[in-house]
Amino acid sequence: MRIDVLTIFPEYLAPLELSLIGKARRDGLVDLHVHDLRSWTHDRHRTVDDTPLGGGAGMVMKPEPWAEAFAAVRAEGQAALGADTEPVIIFPNPAGTPFAQATAQEWSECEWLVLACGRYEGIDERVYEHLADIGCEVHLASLGDYVLNGGEVAVLAITEAVVRLVPGVVGNAESLVEESHSDGLLEYPLYTRPARWEDPAGVVREAPAILLSGDHGRIAAWRREQSLERTRQRRPDLLDEA
């Protein structure tokens, strides 16, 4: 998988060198490139924004740097992947479609993703229109009903959610099957050794005895029951979809 990220703060994406994502890059499972949007500006101030037409607070990101950046990144990616290859372009945006585990799974099967980090009040709407007109698949993705200062945090989250689903990135692939949202439910409670633990307040806390039984059928049934109950308590909206 190839991933290109466009941002005015390349340093913000440094965590992509860490943990499983960094290892996936070093192992050649993910070819990730971070680009500074200001490289496609042409004034001494490297300007990427201007005041909104029609008035209003804040600044809006200009279309010219974005169009040039996408053209350059598209050409670079097609030189590496083939002239007929097109990227899936993703803009984190609170006005977008909710990003979910199913979305991460879908995008993990793509050959090429381009993630674009907006800032300020947002990006000129004509950028999205232009990309759609030249045949790009464009998605606006929302992490939730709140607003961040920019798209970088969302891109970190989306990239981690997607890349960990790429085959070979997570060592034990079975662990991906039993996670929260993998089957539409929240994950069951987890326990490890010691089975009997005295907490700092002196309360003795026992792990459920069934987990020590060795009966994998009963354990699986218990875990399913716990997932349903946890989902019922915390996210009842998911039960209709489970």
Side-chain angles (χ1 to χ4, degrees):
M1 168 183 279
R2 178 186 174 102
I3 298 177
D4 289 277
V5 181
L6 285 160
T7 174
I8 61 171
F9 295 116
E11 303 86 355
Y12 216 123
L13 284 302
L16 295 176
E17 294 284 358
L18 305 176
S19 190
L20 288 177
I21 308 301
K23 184 176 184 301
R25 296 178 70 179
R26 292 187 292 274
D27 291 346
L29 297 173
V30 177
D31 183 20
L32 194 150
H33 305 263
V34 178
H35 309 271
D36 186 350
L37 180 67
R38 294 189 191 276
S39 300
W40 290 279
T41 58
H42 304 285
D43 65 303
R44 66 189 183 94
H45 298 295
R46 306 181 78 199
T47 305
V48 296
D49 61 306
D50 205 337
T51 55
L53 290 178
M59 304 291 281
V60 175
M61 300 194 86
K62 296 166 62 66
E64 300 96 330
W66 282 109
E68 290 189 34
F70 280 120
V73 168
R74 190 185 189 201
E76 180 183 314
Q78 288 179 334
L81 301 174
D84 295 331
T85 309
E86 291 290 352
V88 173
I89 301 177
I90 301 161
F91 293 87
N93 190 308
T97 302
F99 177 74
Q101 187 67 20
T103 320
Q105 182 62 58
E106 177 186 345
W107 290 345
S108 74
E109 299 167 9
C110 295
E111 184 176 8
W112 183 14
L113 302 178
V114 175
L115 300 164
C117 304
R119 278 269 156 180
Y120 315 120
E121 295 302 308
I123 300 171
D124 190 301
E125 187 72 18
R126 293 169 293 182
V127 173
Y128 311 130
E129 296 170 359
H130 162 67
L131 292 172
D133 284 348
I134 63 174
C136 295
E137 181 180 341
V138 179
H139 296 272
L140 273 63
S142 170
L143 292 192
D145 296 334
Y146 51 87
V147 177
L148 301 169
N149 286 333
E152 287 77 13
V153 170
V155 161
L156 288 172
I158 290 171
T159 302
E160 180 152 323
V162 168
V163 170
R164 65 192 302 277
L165 297 176
V166 172
V169 172
V170 173
N172 182 2
E174 290 184 8
S175 66
L176 299 175
V177 177
E178 298 183 351
E179 295 174 326
S180 288
H181 303 291
S182 61
D183 62 352
L185 299 175
L186 302 185
E187 190 174 17
Y188 49 78
L190 299 170
Y191 299 88
T192 187
R193 296 179 180 84
R196 184 178 187 277
W197 171 58
E198 183 175 338
D199 73 17
V203 177
V204 175
R205 303 185 184 277
E206 304 270 1
I210 192 171
L211 299 179
L212 308 174
S213 69
D215 187 330
H216 296 294
R218 290 180 60 220
I219 291 172
W222 178 86
R223 285 174 168 170
R224 175 69 179 181
E225 179 184 332
Q226 292 295 311
S227 288
L228 285 165
E229 182 58 29
R230 175 168 283 186
T231 306
R232 188 175 294 112
Q233 291 178 359
R234 301 180 184 178
R235 291 290 306 278
D237 58 295
L238 296 176
L239 287 175
D240 291 338
E241 306 170 11

